[in-house]
Every structure is written in structure tokens, then in C-alpha cells.
Amino acid sequence: MTLPSLLRKMPPFMPVLIILICMFALNGLAEPNSLSPYALKGLISTYLALMFLSVGQTIVIFAADIDLSVGAILGLVNVTLVSMMQVLGGEPAGIFAAMAIALAVGAGCGLLNGILVVVLRLQAIVATFGTSVLFLGLALWIMPVAGTPAPRLFWRTFGGRIAGIPFAYFVLAGLLVLIVLLSRSRFVPRLLTVGDDQLAAYQTGLPVQSIRVRGYVACGIFAALAGFCITGDTASGDPNVGGLITLNSVAAAVLGGAALSGGVGTLFGSVLGSLVIGLVGSLVFFLGTPSEWQNLVQGLTVLAALMVGILFGGKARA
Amino acid sequence: MSMATFRPILIAGGLVVALMIAGELVSPGFASPEQILRLSIVAALLGIVAAGQNLVILGGREGIDLSVGGVISLSALVAGNVMNGLDAGLLPAILACVAVGAIFGLLNGLGVTLLRIPPLVMTLGMLGVLQGLLVVARNGIPSGRAAPMLSDFVSQPQWLGLPGILWLWALIGLAMAGLLGRTVFGQRIFAIGANEPAARLAGVPTRLTRTMLYVLSGVFSAIAGLCILGYSGSSFANVGGQYMLSSIIAVVLGGTPLSGGRGGYTGTMIGALLLVVLQGLLTTLSIEESGRQIIFGSALIVLLLFYGRSSGMRV
């Protein structure tokens, strides 16, 4: 079997898995403590939000769309959740009600994006930039200044342990179960079919518009789940919390083997891609890079990882 | 100029006039000559960035440059340190800026053409590198000052009562129109943007042409960075960040679709004016930050509904 055909047969997340293993190995060499259970738990709970966000981003990328408003949705969900928990009280019933409302807000944002891009046929990049300004405005309206604390019960649960196992691992397990369920449903294959060739998908009788709108709604819901994680991690509300994370969600999806031209990729790959981005950050730190050089080394490493991922990703070329 | 490219210009131009009238009614003095001059200078800064963005988008194959903000910030920082407040340092500063822009544009172009990395990913990765480089270069402390000559060029009336930057912008407008309409290079841009395989078969050096577009985008961003330094006097952290998406919006509002292959720069200039006048109007209204953002976001969506819609398959 020749190398190219081998490359073509492997699952799309193979390159990122190899990069991830290298990153773990390098982290372990640079600082053995970076692989301790404590450090891993910190890594996971910090990057859970990016994992959820990049899975949502990947869902729309499957259908050859893109959502540049995910960070703004995350911020809007964060302030909605914190404000509602304040209004409804920090007891379990109030927290669950607030989470339900925040989830609905995320889904609503996704629905608006879907209607604008799919039904009204706006270009996805500029339309979702427009909605991101709108969502940021709404977040600022709900909470003009950052700093309202989340109820103790909420962040204590997120940062705590159940039966000795960190809660973040349960969330991660939940995300993986969600990915398996989604990948086995009709939803993901249909999104990929639409992204691969929209006209062909339409001619085979697939409801192309409805599939793409549902993709945006799913993306909004995942952004809301990411918002829950951010709220648990930072324990407070901040309308600008989603500032830089949008571009990272795109990078994680591409690292994970998704093609921006649609039709290729896996949701699992994006989870790995998010972890790579997280590990690059910790590697740069553990290598003892002088602090002012850390961003540059991180930027160069992410760029190199993106190149390697795309060059060896076979079909994933756009 | 065909009707299809002319219509967006007409709509955007009409909206600029309408917004100016609305602004004058809401807050008298909004359409005063001084205010118009100030808004035009801000629009010129955006317009120069959008010229490069426009070229990259016209070249098609999902062409886009997300690294413009990083190039602007870095070039403002380099220029500020080279000239350090002295007129004598202006020429070396200009040369240094253009070199910075050309180098990062070339890297983007090579990544997109030789390595076939999607432009969005390549320029996004480059943005990360540039932001890291900024931290290294600045070492946490803002540094560098604009030369008096540069500040005057951007904000003081010079020829016929207009500051030099407006003449520069007009010159760029003419040069872009000439480049796109009357040169072989311009025809090649439209050819690779509309149908790259056909262009290659017709003998167009597609890789070279596309690489040149990214180099030009880097150079335009660098020149804008220099002018922004002149406008603000000193370089501050991430001065270029806001230009990334607004330059793309200006191009789209001006009637160049992101799919490439059709459009032009005249519309983009009006698009830049429209964005700046809209933002100026919202700043004039005494409403809170949240209200401004909500109105600006909604207005962008409504503007895009006017004519930013793709003519793709209706399914």
C-alpha cells in the first residue's frame, strides 16, 4: 500500500491525533508535572469551553458555512446565565431554570444566524460578524460592566469533584457521548452531504435549507454549553468574555481535519484540535519561554500545526 | 461600468447622503465642513486597508486577509520607532513599513498558493504570529512617536484645504481603477477570481498573480498603519485590530461579493465612507455603548440585506 493511499484511508482526525500525542510527549519532557492528574484537570476545565465551541463551529463548517458570532453568543449566554441566576436565586431550581433560559438564548442566536445566512442568503462571514456586534450589544445591555459573581453552588460544582472524579471529566464525557450520538444520527451525514455538494444534495431530495438552519441552531446550542463552562471556570459574568475565542474555534476545527469548503471532518477531531491549542499554550509556558515571547512561539506553533494538519490531511485541502 | 457594479455604489452613496442629513437633523453640526473632513480622514484610513482586502477578495478562491490588523499594528510600531518623532526619519520609516507589509503579505501569498492552505486559515494563523511578534517588539511598553510632518499629512489641511491623506486616498482610488480596468494584471485578477482553471489554461500565471495580491494587501495595510500612527500620534496596543472585519464589510457594502471575480474599488471607497458615517452618527447620539452596538449590528444586517446577498442557488 502506497503512502498516499494510506493517508487517504485514515480517519480525518489522524493528523491531529498524532500532533496531540507529540504535544503531550513534549509537555511531559519539558515538565513531567504537566502530565499530573492535577495539571490535566486544569487543562481540561480551562479548554472545555473551546471544545464545545469548536464542535459547534465544526457543525456549521460541515455544511460549508461558518459562524463568526460564536464568541459573542458565548458572552451573551454567560451574562444571561449569571443575571438569571442572580434573579432566580442560587438554589438548584433557580440555577436549572437559568440554564434553560440561557440555552434558549443560544439556540435563538443560532436560529437568527441561520435565517440570515440560509433563508435570506447573506454571506456567512459578514452576516455572522453583523450578528456578533448585535449579540455583544445585547450582552452589554444585560450587564454593562463585568464582574457580577455566579452563585457559589454553580462554580463549586463545576470546579469540584463527584465520587473523587473531577466534575470537568463528567462534562467531557458528556460532550463525547453527545458527539457519538450526533455522529450516529442522520444529522451529521446530512450536513456533510450538503457541504460536499449542495446542488446534488438538493437533487436527491434533501431539505438543504432546513438542514443548514438546524446546523446554525445546533452551533448556537453548543456555544451556549461553552458559555456554561466559561461561567463555571471564571465564576462571574463578563460581556466581553468571548473576545478572542471565535478565531480559535475555527483554528481548532481546521486542525481537527474539517475543511472550510465543507463536506469533510469529524466532531471528535475538533475536540482534539482544541486540546492541541491548549497544550501549545502550556508547552510554551513549561519550556520556560520568556513571557514576552510566549505569544509569538504559540502563534508560530499553531500556524505550523495548521499547516501540517492541512498538508497531511489529504482530502481536507480546500 | 455595468449596471450590476454601479447599483451598489448608488445605494451606498445615497445612504451616505441620507445618514449625513439625518445626522445634521439629530445633532446640528454633524454635517459641518470640519466634521465631514474628520469623517473623511477616518474613512481614508479604513479605505486604504480595504484596498488590499478588495484585491485579495477579487482574486477569488475564498480569498480573504484576516491578518491586516496585525500588519497595521506592527507597521505603526515599527514606523513610530524608526522615525521617533523626527521628520528626518520619515523616509526610512516609510521604507521599513512597506518592507514589513510586503514580507508578511508574501508569506501569506506563498502559504495560500504553494502550500494551498485556505486563505482564511493562513491569514488567521499569520494574525496569531503577528500578535505574538507585537508583544515581543513592544515588550509591554508602548513606544514610538509620529513625526510632525506625518501628523500634518494626516490631519492638517495642506493642498486646497484638504489634508494629504485625502489626496493619497484619491490617488489610490485612481490607481486601483486604472489597475483593475486598464492593465493586464487587473484582467488577470478578474480572470483568476472568476474561473481559475480557465485562467490557467489561458496562460495566466495564477500563483504569481495571487501571491502579488497578498503582497499588495500587506503593503496597503502597512501604509494604513503608518497613517494611523500619524492620526493618533503614537502607537498603542493592537491599534489595527478593529480593521480586520470592518475592511471586509466595506468591500462587501461596496458591491464586491466575497466569492470574488467581480466588483471594484470605487464601491469599496463608498462602503468605507458609509461604515464610518454610520459609526460617527452613532457616536454623536447620546446613547449607551450597548445601544450603539445593538443599532450598529442591526444596521449592518439591514445594509447587507439591501445588496450583500449572494446570488447563489435558491434551494
Side-chain angles (χ1 to χ4, degrees):
Chain A
M1 196 182 280
T2 57
L3 186 64
S5 68
L6 250 179
L7 283 173
R8 225 168 291 127
K9 285 209 162 159
M10 68 191 185
F13 57 78
M14 229 22 208
V16 71
L17 188 60
I18 295 168
I19 296 175
L20 183 66
I21 293 170
C22 294
M23 281 295 158
F24 266 118
L26 288 171
N27 264 287
L29 285 175
E31 173 58 60
N33 273 339
S34 70
L35 300 182
S36 69
Y38 181 76
L40 283 182
K41 183 206 154 214
L43 180 79
I44 301 279
S45 48
T46 308
Y47 283 92
L48 265 177
L50 180 59
M51 291 183 206
F52 276 100
L53 209 60
S54 66
V55 167
Q57 186 71 265
T58 310
I59 289 175
V60 287
I61 288 179
F62 276 169
D65 289 313
I66 198 161
D67 187 347
L68 296 186
S69 71
V70 287
I73 299 178
L74 179 144
L76 180 58
V77 165
N78 168 251
V79 297
T80 308
L81 181 61
V82 171
S83 309
M84 290 315 290
M85 287 195 293
Q86 208 179 26
V87 172
L88 299 171
E91 300 309 312
I95 290 179
F96 280 120
M99 285 170 75
I101 294 168
L103 203 61
V105 167
C109 292
L111 182 63
L112 176 64
N113 282 331
I115 289 172
L116 290 175
V117 174
V118 179
V119 182
L120 298 173
R121 302 196 324 281
L122 295 187
Q123 302 172 60
I125 290 180
V126 281
T128 54
F129 172 61
T131 57
S132 77
V133 178
L134 176 64
F135 299 154
L136 177 66
L138 289 171
L140 285 167
W141 177 64
I142 292 173
M143 191 181 289
V145 275
T148 310
R152 194 178 161 80
L153 179 63
F154 188 83
W155 57 265
R156 281 288 283 264
T157 310
F158 186 83
R161 290 166 183 270
I162 294 176
I165 300 167
F167 187 75
Y169 289 164
F170 288 104
V171 180
L172 180 61
L175 172 63
L176 294 178
V177 169
L178 209 54
I179 287 176
V180 170
L181 290 179
L182 273 175
S183 304
R184 294 198 168 188
S185 70
R186 283 189 315 181
F187 186 46
V188 164
R190 283 181 156 197
L191 283 166
L192 287 168
T193 311
V194 168
D196 190 46
D197 188 340
Q198 211 180 115
L199 188 61
Y202 177 67
Q203 285 166 344
T204 36
L206 285 178
V208 170
Q209 288 209 332
S210 137
I211 291 171
R212 287 175 63 202
V213 172
R214 272 184 277 166
Y216 271 105
V217 173
C219 179
I221 291 172
F222 271 96
L225 295 174
F228 295 171
C229 298
I230 281 273
T231 312
D233 199 42
T234 62
S236 67
D238 177 0
N240 290 307
V241 69
L244 294 170
I245 203 169
T246 303
L247 296 178
N248 270 345
S249 75
V250 178
V254 174
L255 266 176
L260 293 176
S261 50
V264 181
T266 58
L267 298 177
F268 183 58
S270 304
V271 174
L272 300 182
S274 308
L275 274 176
V276 168
I277 290 180
L279 281 173
V280 167
S282 71
L283 177 64
V284 170
F285 177 75
F286 286 125
L287 279 176
T289 319
S291 62
E292 70 268 25
W293 287 85
Q294 281 179 10
N295 286 26
L296 178 60
V297 177
Q298 194 171 352
L300 282 170
T301 319
V302 170
L303 180 61
L306 283 172
M307 286 180 173
V308 170
I310 287 172
L311 288 179
F312 294 96
K315 278 192 299 187
R317 288 184 179 189
Chain B
M1 197 182 286
S2 72
M3 207 51 212
T5 55
F6 195 59
R7 207 177 73 107
I9 300 177
L10 215 59
I11 300 176
L15 282 170
V16 170
V17 175
L19 282 177
M20 293 303 295
I21 294 172
E24 181 63 33
L25 289 177
V26 175
S27 123
F30 184 73
S32 67
E34 305 84 62
Q35 179 70 0
I36 290 178
L37 198 64
R38 203 187 63 79
L39 287 175
S40 309
I41 293 170
V42 178
L45 298 173
L46 173 60
I48 295 171
V49 184
Q53 191 70 262
N54 202 167
L55 288 174
V56 167
I57 290 174
L58 277 176
R61 224 185 72 201
E62 297 162 4
I64 203 157
D65 190 347
L66 298 187
S67 69
V68 289
V71 173
I72 290 170
S73 300
L74 187 63
S75 118
L77 182 72
V78 167
N81 278 292
V82 170
M83 67 180 89
N84 209 9
L86 300 173
D87 282 342
L90 194 53
L91 189 64
I94 294 172
L95 294 177
C97 271
V98 170
V100 164
I103 289 168
F104 284 96
L106 182 65
L107 291 175
N108 278 331
L110 291 178
V112 168
T113 54
L114 289 186
L115 301 178
R116 295 190 65 83
I117 307 217
L120 193 115
V121 178
M122 183 65 212
T123 56
L124 174 64
M126 194 57 78
L127 177 66
V129 172
L130 280 160
Q131 281 170 343
L133 210 54
L134 275 169
V135 178
V136 175
R138 189 178 281 122
N139 203 358
I141 309 151
S143 64
R145 282 176 300 123
M149 209 190 271
L150 180 64
S151 299
D152 290 349
F153 175 79
V154 177
S155 44
Q156 294 302 317
Q158 286 180 321
W159 300 298
L160 301 178
L162 296 180
I165 187 169
L166 292 184
W167 294 106
L168 175 68
W169 194 26
L171 198 68
I172 290 175
L174 284 176
M176 288 283 286
L179 175 82
L180 292 173
R182 295 177 189 276
T183 64
V184 174
F185 183 65
Q187 303 223 316
R188 286 176 171 172
I189 298 172
F190 284 109
I192 62 170
N195 189 337
E196 187 175 353
R200 189 181 301 119
L201 289 176
V204 174
T206 53
R207 283 180 172 176
L208 180 69
T209 308
R210 179 161 284 118
T211 307
M212 276 306 295
L213 296 180
Y214 285 91
V215 172
L216 283 171
S217 177
V219 171
F220 274 121
S221 298
I223 294 172
L226 186 77
C227 296
I228 289 166
L229 174 73
Y231 187 67
S232 59
S234 60
S235 79
F236 51 91
N238 201 16
V239 59
Q242 54 168 317
Y243 288 93
M244 177 176 92
L245 283 160
S246 53
S247 65
I248 299 169
I249 299 251
V251 171
V252 171
L253 291 184
T256 302
L258 291 180
S259 47
R262 93 200 138 74
Y265 184 60
T266 317
T268 301
M269 295 174 81
I270 311 281
L273 267 173
L274 178 56
L275 264 187
V276 167
V277 170
L278 179 62
Q279 273 173 322
L281 182 60
L282 290 176
T283 316
T284 314
L285 300 175
S286 49
I287 42 176
E288 290 186 21
E289 166 78 6
S290 60
R292 273 208 300 272
Q293 297 271 10
I294 292 172
I295 298 175
F296 185 55
S298 313
L300 280 183
I301 294 166
V302 172
L303 283 176
L304 292 170
L305 281 174
F306 263 108
Y307 49 84
R309 296 168 66 176
S310 55
S311 52
M313 176 183 59
R314 274 176 187 268
V315 291

